[in-house]
């Protein structure tokens, strides 16, 4: 009787074994195409499978316990377009790559001025802060600028020292001024800057037309700068359709940080202006001077500029601040409000803004949060220079 051949020597078993090997090679090939750095490990695994032994380990590595050793870790990178996420095996952020800024929803509050919250301590710290210059500026008036008039009602002071960029941009006719106001007839400062060659945009919701051009460099816009954009889906916001954030206005006007040619296009039938700059790419502040007299909306507007990093693209700030009440949508008790004001101004300092001039308006009531206290005026005009823009 002939000896029976073992099952593993039969042709059917060999065919099954060959099919399994081909399937394994196909799977390994797909994995190798997905992740380039797994090629050496996959090749070693394939060779070991063909030889019927365990794959060799790389020097300095240890085997993974259990079935997890055969799994590949997949990282999903979220892209800017919906539905375009794809698996990958590379680092999320390459060395030296750009990182997306984290959106902030509130400013960092400074510690209390005293161990126990106290209006007296908070007020004294705040008033001392806004009354103390942080940097000296030798040239602060516009007497040297063509078209300057002494009829200016308030001292809107800017720093014209040679070490900062404003005076150089005025001379080269490349400066830009944004003026935020609410029905104020005192526009001599804007006219003087326009006569000096600066591109001046005054935003006031009380003007009759949407956009008015006066002279070569001065525009009036029926727009109000706010700390939020109106939501068209909310009926109450439709009344504020001409109210927008400063960052939104900058985008709509086409004012870019790096540009070879500045183009302002508010609408097809409105403003169209092109100003050729010097050859090569010019990097400068979006707004050389931001002047604001917005009747107690300045605190929330300033907060928005800080949180959205718009303030970093401004060369100088000239703000009229009102302290006779907390301001629009500023809540809390008196000591909390003053701490919030102080924290906002310290945020400016952290962004390299330095206070160089303070004007205490004695023509206004001497009120501090509805109290005749601290020898304070209800209105101050503060001027800062961004020391990054040399």
């Amino acid at each position: 009787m002939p000896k029976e051949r073992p099952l593993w020597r039969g042709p059917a078993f060999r065919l099954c074994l060959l099919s399994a090997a081909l399937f394994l090679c196909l799977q390994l090939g797909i994995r190798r195409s997905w992740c380039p750095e797994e090629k050496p490990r996959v090749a070693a695994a394939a060779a070991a499978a063909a030889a019927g032994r365990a794959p060799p380990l790389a020097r300095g590595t240890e085997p993974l316990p259990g079935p997890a050793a055969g799994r590949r870790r997949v990282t999903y990178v979220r892209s800017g377009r919906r539905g375009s996420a794809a698996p990958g095996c590379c680092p999320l952020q390459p060395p030296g790559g750009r990182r997306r800024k984290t959106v902030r929803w509130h400013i960092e509050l400074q510690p209390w001025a005293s161990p126990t919250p106290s209006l007296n301590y908070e007020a004294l710290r705040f008033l001392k802060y806004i009354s103390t210059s942080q940097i000296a500026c030798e040239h602060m008036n516009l007497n040297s600028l063509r078209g300057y008039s002494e009829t200016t009602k308030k001292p809107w002071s800017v720093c014209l020292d040679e070490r900062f960029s404003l005076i150089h941009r005025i001379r080269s006719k490349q400066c830009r001024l944004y003026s935020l106001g609410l029905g104020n007839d005192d526009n001599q400062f804007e006219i003087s800057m326009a006569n000096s060659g600066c591109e001046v945009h005054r935003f006031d919701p009380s003007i009759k037309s949407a956009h008015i051009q006066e002279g070569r460099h001065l525009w009036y816009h029926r727009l109000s700068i706010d700390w939020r954009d109106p939501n068209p889906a909310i009926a109450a916001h439709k009344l504020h359709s001409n109210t927008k954030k400063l960052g939104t206005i900058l985008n709509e006007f086409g004012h870019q940080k790096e540009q070879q040619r500045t183009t302002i296009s508010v609408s097809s039938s409105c403003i169209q202006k092109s100003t050729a700059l010097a050859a090569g790419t010019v990097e400068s502040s979006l707004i050389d001077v931001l002047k604001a007299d917005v009747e107690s909306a300045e605190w929330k507007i300033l907060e928005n500029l800080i949180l959205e990093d718009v303030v970093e693209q401004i060369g100088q700030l000239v703000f009229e601040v009102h302290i006779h009440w907390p301001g629009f949508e500023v809540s809390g008790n008196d000591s909390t409000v003053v701490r919030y004001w102080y924290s906002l101004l310290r945020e400016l300092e952290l962004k390299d803004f330095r206070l160089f001039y303070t004007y205490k308006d004695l023509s206004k009531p001497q009120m501090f949060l509805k109290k005749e206290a601290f020898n304070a005026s209800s209105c101050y005009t503060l001027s800062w220079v961004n020391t990054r823009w040399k």
Side-chain angles (χ1 to χ4, degrees), residues 103-353:
V103 177
R104 291 201 297 165
W105 297 100
H106 57 82
I107 64 168
E108 296 294 333
L109 293 176
Q110 293 292 317
W112 292 99
S114 58
T116 302
S118 165
L119 174 61
N120 184 67
Y121 281 100
E122 295 300 325
L124 292 177
R125 178 175 69 171
F126 172 77
L127 291 172
K128 180 180 179 181
Y129 190 84
I130 66 173
S131 302
T132 305
S133 298
Q134 298 171 330
I135 192 172
C137 184
E138 298 179 1
H139 306 283
M140 291 186 294
N141 58 58
L142 302 177
N143 289 330
S144 60
L145 302 182
R146 180 170 56 88
Y148 176 78
S149 173
E150 294 291 346
T151 59
T152 303
K153 298 179 182 179
K154 295 180 181 179
W156 301 105
S157 297
V158 292
C159 188
L160 300 174
D161 285 2
E162 296 286 339
R163 54 181 168 155
F164 300 119
S165 63
L166 178 59
I167 185 61
H168 304 288
R169 291 178 60 79
I170 291 176
R171 291 169 181 166
S172 62
K173 312 298 183 184
Q174 295 179 3
C175 60
R176 178 181 294 141
L177 166 69
Y178 270 32
S179 174
L180 318 182
L182 294 173
N184 196 329
D185 295 331
D186 181 16
N187 60 353
Q188 190 58 49
F189 177 78
E190 289 83 351
I191 294 175
S192 299
M193 294 291 285
N195 290 340
S196 302
C198 286
E199 175 188 311
V200 179
H201 297 271
R202 182 176 173 88
F203 300 89
D204 190 339
S206 65
I207 66 174
K208 297 180 179 180
S209 301
H211 306 283
I212 300 175
Q213 181 175 356
E214 290 189 1
R216 185 178 179 183
H217 301 289
L218 178 60
W219 288 269
Y220 291 87
H221 309 283
R222 191 173 60 198
L223 290 169
S224 176
I225 306 299
D226 204 351
W227 55 93
R228 60 199 164 192
D229 288 326
N231 188 344
I234 301 177
H237 285 194
K238 294 181 180 179
L239 300 176
H240 306 282
S241 58
N242 291 331
T243 299
K244 299 179 181 180
K245 295 187 297 186
L246 183 60
T248 302
I249 296 294
L250 288 171
N251 291 333
E252 291 183 354
F253 279 28
H255 293 163
Q256 305 298 327
K257 178 180 178 182
E258 296 183 3
Q259 54 192 359
Q260 201 168 9
R261 182 176 296 271
T262 303
T263 302
I264 307 167
S265 178
V266 178
S267 68
S268 58
S269 60
C270 183
I271 304 171
Q272 288 187 349
K273 177 192 173 193
S274 297
T275 304
L277 302 181
T281 300
V282 177
E283 181 176 349
S284 63
S285 54
L286 298 175
I287 305 173
D288 292 286
V289 180
L290 177 63
K291 171 198 168 189
D293 182 5
V294 288
E295 303 299 334
S296 299
E298 63 274 359
W299 298 112
K300 295 299 290 185
I301 291 176
L302 184 58
E303 181 187 51
N304 171 256
L305 298 181
I306 293 172
L307 293 179
E308 296 191 353
D309 293 328
V310 177
V311 73
E312 297 180 355
Q313 305 304 324
I314 299 174
Q316 298 192 28
L317 291 170
V318 187
F319 268 54
E320 184 177 89
V321 299
H322 302 83
I323 60 175
H324 61 285
W325 73 295
F328 291 106
E329 295 195 13
V330 178
S331 60
N333 57 34
D334 289 347
S335 57
T336 301
V337 168
V338 182
R339 181 193 183 197
Y340 166 75
W341 290 346
Y342 176 73
S343 300
L344 273 177
L345 303 187
R346 287 300 304 271
E347 287 269 356
L348 285 179
E349 185 178 350
L350 293 175
K351 293 183 178 296
D352 294 327
F353 278 83

Side-chain angles (χ1 to χ4, degrees), residues 3-167:
K3 187 177 181 181
E4 186 175 331
R5 299 178 62 183
L7 180 61
W8 57 270
R9 289 189 179 182
F13 180 82
R14 293 182 180 179
L15 181 59
C16 292
L17 183 61
L18 179 60
S19 300
L22 290 175
F23 179 79
L24 178 62
C25 291
L26 180 61
Q27 292 295 321
L28 294 177
I30 293 175
R31 292 182 59 184
R32 184 170 56 182
S33 64
W34 280 354
C35 197
E37 64 263 26
E38 290 191 1
K39 289 182 179 180
R41 184 167 58 86
V42 171
R53 56 183 175 84
L57 295 175
R59 182 178 300 178
T61 61
E62 297 180 0
L64 295 175
R71 297 177 184 173
R72 181 174 61 90
R73 294 184 179 180
V74 179
T75 301
Y76 289 88
V77 182
R78 184 181 300 275
S79 67
R81 297 181 179 179
R82 183 176 298 179
S84 60
C89 58
C90 304
L92 287 174
Q93 182 67 35
R98 297 181 60 185
R99 295 183 180 273
R100 186 178 180 182
K101 290 186 176 181
T102 303
V103 177
R104 291 201 297 165
W105 297 100
H106 57 82
I107 64 168
E108 296 294 333
L109 293 176
Q110 293 292 317
W112 292 99
S114 58
T116 302
S118 165
L119 174 61
N120 184 67
Y121 281 100
E122 295 300 325
L124 292 177
R125 178 175 69 171
F126 172 77
L127 291 172
K128 180 180 179 181
Y129 190 84
I130 66 173
S131 302
T132 305
S133 298
Q134 298 171 330
I135 192 172
C137 184
E138 298 179 1
H139 306 283
M140 291 186 294
N141 58 58
L142 302 177
N143 289 330
S144 60
L145 302 182
R146 180 170 56 88
Y148 176 78
S149 173
E150 294 291 346
T151 59
T152 303
K153 298 179 182 179
K154 295 180 181 179
W156 301 105
S157 297
V158 292
C159 188
L160 300 174
D161 285 2
E162 296 286 339
R163 54 181 168 155
F164 300 119
S165 63
L166 178 59
I167 185 61

Side-chain angles (χ1 to χ4, degrees), residues 119-120 123-124 127 323 360 365-378 380:
L119 174 61
N120 184 67
L124 292 177
L127 291 172
I323 60 175
K360 180 180 180 180
Q366 307 301 292
M367 301 289 291
F368 188 92
L369 291 178
K370 302 180 180 181
K371 301 178 180 67
E372 295 181 0
F374 308 110
N375 192 28
S377 172
S378 61
Y380 290 79

